[in-house]
Structures are given as structure tokens and as C-alpha cells.
Amino acid sequence: QVQLVESGGGLVQAGGSLRLSCAASGRTFRRYAMGWFRQAPGKEREFVAAISYSSSNTDYADSVKGRFTISRDNGKNTVYLQMNSLKPEDTAVYYCATPRTATIPSPLEYQYWGQGTQVTVSS
């Protein structure tokens, strides 16, 4: 079992930045791909970014490419999402998740989720 705890959300002005963190417990965190998802009010959950266990591969939603960066520190059992040039449409609850596979799977294959952290971007 993997426990994931997100932090770093908050309220920012459009154009600002936030860095989200997801701390994971579990002996085999370093072997797992990790992903970030978000869910805006009244909308379905959507994929944001993912990273393989070795950081050799990353993937981003088109809507965040060039603005968001996913990274991880396996020594700290932590994955990060650096969010720059934030837009009001980025407002959502952000969740980290893992499929417990080393490579990046389809977005449907993530099985373990954190509680989420709220990101609000004002105009």
C-alpha cells in the first residue's frame, strides 16, 4: 500500500507560480511512475503530467506544456509539480497518483491517490 500526501496549493494571481509536492510512503516508491491530475469545479478529472520512476520519461497535457514541470526526488520519496504562468483555467484540485508501475501507463491505470490540494488562480 502506498500513501500519498499533497501540499503546496493556494491562491495566486494569474501569471504567478506554485510548486506542489507529493510525499509518498512505501518502500518501493522509487520503482513507481507518478502522475498529477486535476479536477476543476463541474468538470471531469483530467491528466496533467507524469514521470517514470527513473525520470527518464515525462508526459504532459497539451494545456500545460511549457508551463508546468514534473520532477521527483526518489531519495525523499517526493514528486513535484512546478507550475508557472498560471492561468485561471488552471484552477482545480490537484491530485498525485501512482499506478505502481515503473513506466508511464495510460491515465486510466493509476490506482493509488492522494487527498488533493486546492489551486486557485485569480484573474
Side-chain angles (χ1 to χ4, degrees), residues 102-113:
T103 56
I104 299 172
S106 77
L108 297 176
E109 297 178 10
Y110 290 82
Q111 301 177 28
Y112 298 89
W113 299 83

Side-chain angles (χ1 to χ4, degrees), residues 67-81:
R67 300 189 298 121
F68 291 11
T69 302
I70 188 170
S71 62
R72 66 192 295 160
D73 185 338
N74 290 340
K76 297 181 178 179
N77 287 351
T78 301
V79 63
Y80 305 95
L81 185 68

Side-chain angles (χ1 to χ4, degrees), residues 43-93:
K43 297 185 178 181
E44 295 183 356
R45 184 189 67 191
E46 65 174 339
F47 169 78
V48 176
I51 187 167
S52 62
Y53 84 95
S54 64
S55 300
S56 59
N57 294 100
T58 57
D59 193 22
Y60 297 92
D62 288 342
S63 60
V64 306
K65 286 181 179 177
R67 300 189 298 121
F68 291 11
T69 302
I70 188 170
S71 62
R72 66 192 295 160
D73 185 338
N74 290 340
K76 297 181 178 179
N77 287 351
T78 301
V79 63
Y80 305 95
L81 185 68
Q82 179 66 46
M83 305 186 295
N84 298 327
S85 301
L86 284 162
K87 305 174 181 179
E89 51 262 45
D90 295 319
T91 295
V93 177

